[in-house]
Amino acid sequence: MVSNKSGRKRLVTGVVSTLTAGLALGAFALSGTANGVAADTTPETVDAGRHTKPKPTIVLEHGAFADGSSWNGVIAELRADGYPVVAAANPLRGPSADAAALRTVLDHVEGPKILVGHSYGGNVISQAATDDPDVKALVYVAAFLPAPGESALELTNKFPGSTLPDALDPVTYQQGDGSTATDLYIQQDEFRRQFAADVPAKQAALMAVTQRPIAQAALEEKATSAAWKTKPSWAIVTTRDLNIPAAAQRFMAERAHAHTTEVAASHSVAVSHPHLVADIIERAARTTVR
């Protein structure tokens, strides 16, 4: 007759043996190792047992009177579709300096990239992407596509329709070397009408408070290179834009032979139409990264 104590001992031993075997099998499955070869189980590279290329990283560059949060709706759409995203902080000091800052971001991101610029951010991406083989496409969102020797101010004034000058709130300050410089804001009570007419009033009010100023000199600085001359480009033209006239946007997009989409939207199209903007970005990614 077996004692209860001995029976319990055999029962515990059996359970431990079963658990040990199960854990060993689990560890084998998690390591993904078979015949000494590690299996790639990265979600981006395995699809129903078939290997596919990782998706390119989408790098977003905001423009004047905005910050990285202006891309929030677009970011949510892109991430939901499996794209890695980086929203760079634009210093808004001048195309050359800002392009150098963006280059540090691009150099830090490995693999193919789609570079997206809004407004003045178009100046920056045009210069930062020059001679970078990893930037596969450029997407201009209500943006400048300057040619070498052109400035944002020059392109804005090339066609009638911008009401930005009367909405500006300039702030002059003294620099470290004793010289003076001027930063430009949009007057808060003019911000929605000028910049974000199709954005809900409460959201536009927050955008007005958190806007980033641009150096006046940045709008006057001439471009030194144009990546759109050698890279495929997409452009979103906003027909109700009071910052960059639609005619100016069309002129630049046609000159660059960009794939162009027009939308009845304000300058803040990434905020008011994030699905559309994300769709164009993804179209550029699918077309150029296979």
Side-chain angles (χ1 to χ4, degrees):
M1 184 174 181
V2 180
S3 68
N4 290 337
K5 183 176 180 180
S6 298
R8 285 195 300 271
K9 182 176 180 181
R10 286 198 298 272
L11 177 61
V12 170
T13 301
V15 170
V16 170
S17 298
T18 301
L19 287 173
T20 301
L23 288 170
L25 287 172
F28 178 86
L30 286 172
S31 68
T33 303
N35 297 323
V37 179
D40 187 356
T41 57
T42 306
E44 288 183 352
T45 58
V46 176
D47 181 13
R50 294 179 297 177
H51 288 267
T52 58
K53 284 188 176 181
K55 291 183 176 180
T57 299
I58 312 301
V59 180
L60 306 168
E61 180 83 342
H62 68 80
F65 318 116
D67 61 17
S69 68
S70 62
W71 296 111
N72 283 354
V74 175
I75 293 169
E77 297 268 353
L78 294 171
R79 286 173 59 87
D81 291 336
Y83 286 90
V85 185
V86 175
N90 189 347
L92 303 173
R93 298 297 88 187
S96 294
D98 297 340
L102 181 56
R103 279 246 39 96
T104 65
V105 176
L106 296 177
D107 291 343
H108 187 69
V109 177
E110 296 182 355
K113 293 171 274 288
I114 306 299
L115 197 48
V116 185
H118 172 241
S119 189
Y120 163 82
N123 294 56
V124 181
I125 69 171
S126 293
Q127 190 157 322
T130 301
D131 298 325
D132 186 342
D134 286 337
V135 175
K136 303 302 181 183
L138 303 166
V139 181
Y140 294 88
V141 181
F144 292 107
L145 292 76
E150 293 178 336
S151 69
L153 183 61
E154 176 185 346
L155 288 165
T156 299
N157 293 334
K158 192 176 185 70
F159 297 89
S162 176
T163 58
L164 180 60
D166 291 337
L168 289 174
D169 182 15
V171 176
T172 300
Y173 62 95
Q174 190 171 49
Q175 302 186 100
D177 62 0
S179 63
T180 59
T182 300
D183 271 354
L184 302 176
Y185 295 82
I186 293 177
Q187 300 169 39
Q188 289 192 24
D189 58 357
E190 290 289 332
F191 190 92
R192 188 180 184 221
R193 179 198 64 80
Q194 178 63 42
F195 196 81
D198 52 358
V199 174
K202 288 185 178 180
Q203 186 175 6
L206 291 175
M207 292 167 62
V209 171
T210 59
Q211 64 177 294
R212 294 271 313 283
I214 186 168
Q216 180 174 309
L219 300 179
E220 300 168 349
E221 183 181 321
K222 297 183 183 299
T224 58
S225 63
W228 51 261
K229 289 190 173 186
T230 57
K231 295 182 184 295
S233 301
W234 277 254
I236 298 175
V237 172
T238 42
T239 62
R240 297 178 180 173
D241 199 315
L242 297 183
N243 272 34
I244 308 175
Q249 295 180 48
R250 289 191 194 100
F251 163 76
M252 292 182 282
E254 290 171 5
R255 180 177 64 178
H257 304 291
H259 306 274
T260 303
T261 300
E262 295 202 357
V263 56
S266 74
H267 195 60
S268 295
V269 63
V271 180
S272 60
H273 294 76
H275 180 76
L276 169 70
V277 174
D279 182 65
I280 299 301
I281 294 170
E282 292 186 21
R283 193 177 306 171
R286 290 192 302 269
T287 303
T288 57
V289 182
R290 298 179 182 276

